[in-house]
Amino acid sequence: MQELSDVQFVAWFAGAVDGGWEPLEGGQWEADDAWASLVPGAPPMSGLVADLASTASAMQEAVLALAFVPEDEQPSNVIASHMVMVRSAIECLATGLWLCLPKDSEERAKRYLALGYQDVSDLLGTSGGPRSPLPKEGIRLLTEMGVDVESRISATQIIRAADIELGTDTLMMWRLYSGVAHGRPWARNVTRTSFPAPESEGARISQALRVLAPGIELARSLLEVADLRRRFPHPTALESERLERLRSAR
């Protein structure tokens, strides 16, 4: 997988997640999936991570597809389109990594449950306390596990945590892409300076790959970590060694 070029990897990743993503079967995923019953309607951990990977893959594919479209058929500001789609991919991939990177099973459970509780609350338009969508017994269990049901988990927190774990610097680019998505003047100015309009088809594709680079790096890491969870039924020295090698490769 690592020897694939970025273009090849995007295509391979799409095929992997569309085909069911084999690394999500067995190992530690079975224990992690058991926590799903505490949050009504929540998918198993493995299913959630697979869905996040699938969404990210769709965004990456769309960026490449747009880059190969003839210039006269592209949007007038194609770089902004690239950035908005990659922003989504980064958030999905970083969330998947944030959920499954911790070696400790209880920490993975806390992250999964905290995010699941927040999602259910957002879906129903409620917050913690007496209007909570969860039964009181469920809230008590979450609280006993150390889950703060009153606080919110932001994309910034998740991406920063993934960066710390992996030794990456994705947050900086995600902030730029988010600024473009929200129409922030500073982000538009940085984009004009750092990503000038390409003058050839090759330059357009190279520019798209440059925008994609942080998301591709996260995708490679997510597949590696998911594979570790599949291969080892419990945290082991070998798993720790492979994770450390993944971090030191940055």
Side-chain angles (χ1 to χ4, degrees), residues 146-164:
V147 176
D148 184 358
V149 296
E150 299 294 336
S151 65
R152 291 194 60 80
I153 304 161
S154 68
T156 299
Q157 288 175 282
I158 288 173
I159 296 168
R160 180 182 287 118
D163 275 344
I164 291 172

Side-chain angles (χ1 to χ4, degrees), residues 42-192:
M45 170 87 89
S46 58
L48 174 57
V49 174
D51 284 345
L52 289 165
S54 180
T55 300
S57 172
M59 296 298 104
Q60 292 181 347
E61 275 196 296
V63 169
L64 273 189
L66 190 57
F68 280 96
V69 167
E71 184 177 11
D72 58 352
E73 297 178 20
Q74 291 187 347
S76 58
N77 187 351
V78 70
I79 191 66
S81 302
H82 290 336
M83 288 182 170
V84 172
M85 288 187 284
V86 178
R87 171 195 179 229
S88 173
I90 287 173
E91 289 185 17
C92 290
L93 293 163
T95 300
L97 281 161
W98 178 78
L99 286 168
C100 64
L101 253 175
K103 183 167 62 175
D104 181 66
S105 177
E106 288 193 9
E107 178 58 28
R108 295 198 300 271
K110 284 172 61 176
R111 291 185 178 189
Y112 170 86
L113 293 170
L115 190 64
Y117 177 83
Q118 180 173 303
D119 285 347
V120 171
S121 297
D122 289 346
L123 176 65
L124 300 180
T126 61
S127 58
R131 297 178 62 236
S132 168
L134 285 183
K136 290 183 179 180
E137 180 65 14
I139 295 175
R140 183 185 67 78
L141 288 172
L142 295 182
T143 303
E144 288 180 353
M145 289 185 64
V147 176
D148 184 358
V149 296
E150 299 294 336
S151 65
R152 291 194 60 80
I153 304 161
S154 68
T156 299
Q157 288 175 282
I158 288 173
I159 296 168
R160 180 182 287 118
D163 275 344
I164 291 172
E165 288 277 0
L166 295 170
T168 49
D169 191 20
T170 313
L171 185 61
M172 180 179 66
M173 295 306 293
W174 174 80
R175 281 176 167 158
L176 173 61
Y177 300 168
S178 293
V180 171
H182 289 105
R184 299 293 299 275
W186 71 267
R188 294 173 62 85
N189 290 336
V190 170
T191 300
R192 291 190 189 99

